[in-house]
Amino acid sequence: MADAILVPQVGQDLTEAMIVAINVKLGDSVAKGDIVAEVESEKATFEVEAFVSGVVISLPFAVGDMAPVLEPLMHLGKAGESFGATAHIDVPAAAADVPTAEKPAPSSAKIAVDNSGRSSPLARRVAAQNGMRVDQMAGTGPRGAVVMRDVAAALQAKPVFGAQTSVPRAGPGMQSLQAGTGIPVIFLHGFGAEMAAWRPLVARVSIANPMFGADLAGHGVAPIKTVAGFDALVDDMAMRLGDTGMTSAHLVGHSLGAAVAVALADRGNMDIRSLTLIAPAGLGPWINGDFVTGFATAKTEAALRMWMQHLVYVPDRLGDAMVRAAFAARTGPTATNALEILARTLFEFNTQLFSIRPALQRLSCTCRIILGLKDAILRPSDANSLPGSVAVHQLFDVGHLPQVEATALVGRLIAETIRSVG
């Protein structure tokens, strides 16, 4: 049975995306987790990841096409399997497996055509936000289309107040989530997560800044797999950020990542312009130790799902894709053991072995905290009695994942925080 890799929908109001790159061809073998394509919507540039392994047996679209979201971008099957009338998946007529040379040109109703040719929705939006015209840019995208990297290059050449003199780049264990210009925004995930979890939220943060995800040590693709404690987490992230050449940054962190963000700002190695802290750890000593242990030691997807339901107030908000992605990150006993080891160095039963309160007292940058009042992992009341310079947003009927349960609001608050600083 063939598996469909769909054109991603990275915003509820989006209907199409431009296919910027296809990294495979018919007959290629694909491993689970491989990046098979890149698309640009109005909201963001998005790398498409294979959620299963298989052989490419169908490529309905070509590079440069405007493809409807949630349509099959490709199908993966078994070696020697063909995709046709006998396949188990119905393919819409618009996505039929037609050789590229015979495919009709996309409808002009779906493509904005400028004097210089085509442009992606994201390129048009970011250019307009910065008072620039895509019809005056040279396109390096498919069939000469102006894509986000062209707008980013044009913006880099344009004087921007507060922008660094060099193009920010991703360091080890980091990945670009959105190209752009100005002060970069770095997203730091929580315990047991990985940087890819930020993509749905990034699509709702309407700013032109470059955005990066960074895996904490012991997570994802971070070079260091085991660390000795909280200070070691901060040391590793500080070193990797230093390797990027970035001199200034906005930091957005969730839970453990939020605590690391505060510690980075406190060290003063970089000019941290703002902090947006989502359900931050380290505000008080208590943590749900049963959750930490169960989550870190879960060996099956079913067990992991049961523990992850504690992260949200309404269980239905925990999507299947989120659970599958979290389980896929545990590629073997080594990955799970790394989480177990990290848990023992950071927490003792129901106690957090670190605190960010002293660092919050010393902060000089803009800081905003977003937390759910139904958080079952940390105590929302620990956010009481914070410095007056720290803005606190308390969300009703939201648990430990405000970025999942109130995505649009959290995206807006992040954008407002960054714009307020400039």
Side-chain angles (χ1 to χ4, degrees):
M1 179 174 177
D3 291 295
I5 307 297
L6 304 181
V7 178
Q9 183 175 29
V10 292
Q12 294 182 353
D13 55 340
L14 300 181
T15 60
E16 61 185 3
M18 172 181 277
I19 300 175
V20 177
I22 297 179
N23 302 332
V24 295
K25 61 182 183 299
L26 289 174
D28 281 357
S29 294
V30 172
K32 182 178 180 179
D34 284 353
I35 302 300
V36 294
E38 181 180 341
V39 302
E40 278 193 7
S41 70
E42 184 181 352
K43 297 290 187 180
T45 298
F46 196 91
E47 291 179 331
V48 182
E49 182 177 329
F51 65 93
V52 294
S53 299
V55 174
V56 180
I57 60 173
S58 168
L59 285 173
F61 296 101
V63 171
D65 285 353
M66 293 295 290
V69 300
L70 302 182
E71 292 289 344
L73 177 61
M74 65 184 64
H75 291 89
L76 303 183
K78 297 179 181 179
E81 182 179 357
S82 61
F83 189 85
T86 59
H88 294 274
I89 297 178
D90 294 327
V91 184
D97 189 14
V98 180
T100 303
E102 299 177 10
K103 292 190 67 162
S107 166
S108 60
K110 287 189 175 183
I111 300 175
V113 179
D114 305 298
N115 293 339
S116 61
R118 297 146 50 82
S119 57
S120 75
L122 179 62
R124 294 195 297 271
R125 179 175 67 83
V126 175
Q129 287 176 342
N130 288 273
M132 305 177 74
R133 294 174 54 182
V134 290
D135 63 347
Q136 296 177 346
M137 300 179 190
T140 63
R143 301 202 288 273
V146 176
V147 292
M148 186 58 212
R149 62 174 174 264
D150 302 317
V151 178
L155 286 169
Q156 190 63 40
K158 176 183 178 182
V160 180
F161 177 76
Q164 11 183 99
T165 57
S166 60
V167 178
R169 64 182 186 275
M174 297 178 62
Q175 189 176 89
S176 173
L177 302 176
Q178 174 182 293
T181 187
I183 306 300
V185 184
I186 301 169
F187 290 78
L188 304 176
H189 59 73
F191 177 77
E194 58 180 353
M195 67 178 102
W198 289 111
R199 289 192 180 278
L201 176 65
V202 165
R204 308 302 290 269
V205 182
S206 299
I207 55 175
N209 301 59
M211 302 190 210
F212 297 87
D215 277 333
L216 299 180
H219 297 74
V221 296
I224 296 178
K225 296 306 178 186
T226 59
V227 291
F230 182 74
D231 288 342
L233 275 180
V234 181
D235 289 342
D236 173 69
M237 187 58 65
M239 179 184 67
R240 286 192 279 139
L241 290 180
D243 290 342
T244 66
M246 299 179 192
T247 56
S248 300
H250 301 276
L251 299 182
V252 178
H254 171 245
S255 195
L256 178 59
V260 172
V262 173
L264 289 169
D266 189 45
R267 290 192 176 190
N269 296 335
M270 289 181 67
D271 173 24
I272 302 302
R273 297 297 184 89
S274 74
L275 292 170
T276 304
L277 311 176
I278 305 170
L283 290 179
W286 186 85
I287 190 169
N288 185 334
D290 289 337
F291 166 81
V292 172
T293 301
F295 177 77
T297 60
K299 299 297 192 298
T300 66
E301 185 174 321
L304 185 62
R305 180 186 302 275
M306 296 301 294
W307 285 109
M308 288 184 67
Q309 288 179 351
H310 292 266
L311 292 168
V312 293
Y313 179 60
V314 179
D316 289 346
R317 294 172 181 167
L318 185 71
D320 290 342
M322 187 175 177
V323 178
R324 286 198 302 268
F327 186 71
R330 306 177 181 213
T331 55
T334 302
T336 306
N337 289 343
L339 279 183
E340 294 179 50
I341 294 169
L342 183 59
R344 289 196 294 269
T345 65
L346 296 174
F347 315 111
E348 182 178 327
F349 298 108
N350 292 334
T351 304
Q352 301 179 70
L353 301 179
F354 57 91
S355 174
I356 62 171
R357 276 188 171 268
L360 284 175
Q361 295 286 347
R362 296 188 291 265
L363 282 182
S364 58
C365 65
T366 296
C367 181
R368 188 190 298 259
I369 290 177
I370 305 169
L371 52 85
L373 291 178
K374 302 296 185 180
D375 194 330
I377 312 304
L378 299 169
R379 283 180 176 155
S381 59
D382 286 338
N384 297 338
S385 303
L386 292 177
S389 57
V390 177
V392 180
H393 295 260
Q394 299 178 330
L395 308 186
F396 294 98
D397 295 335
V398 170
H400 190 62
L401 296 177
Q403 69 271 32
V404 173
E405 299 183 83
T407 309
L409 174 59
V410 173
R412 178 170 64 81
L413 292 175
I414 293 172
E416 289 177 357
T417 303
I418 292 169
R419 290 197 192 102
S420 71
V421 178

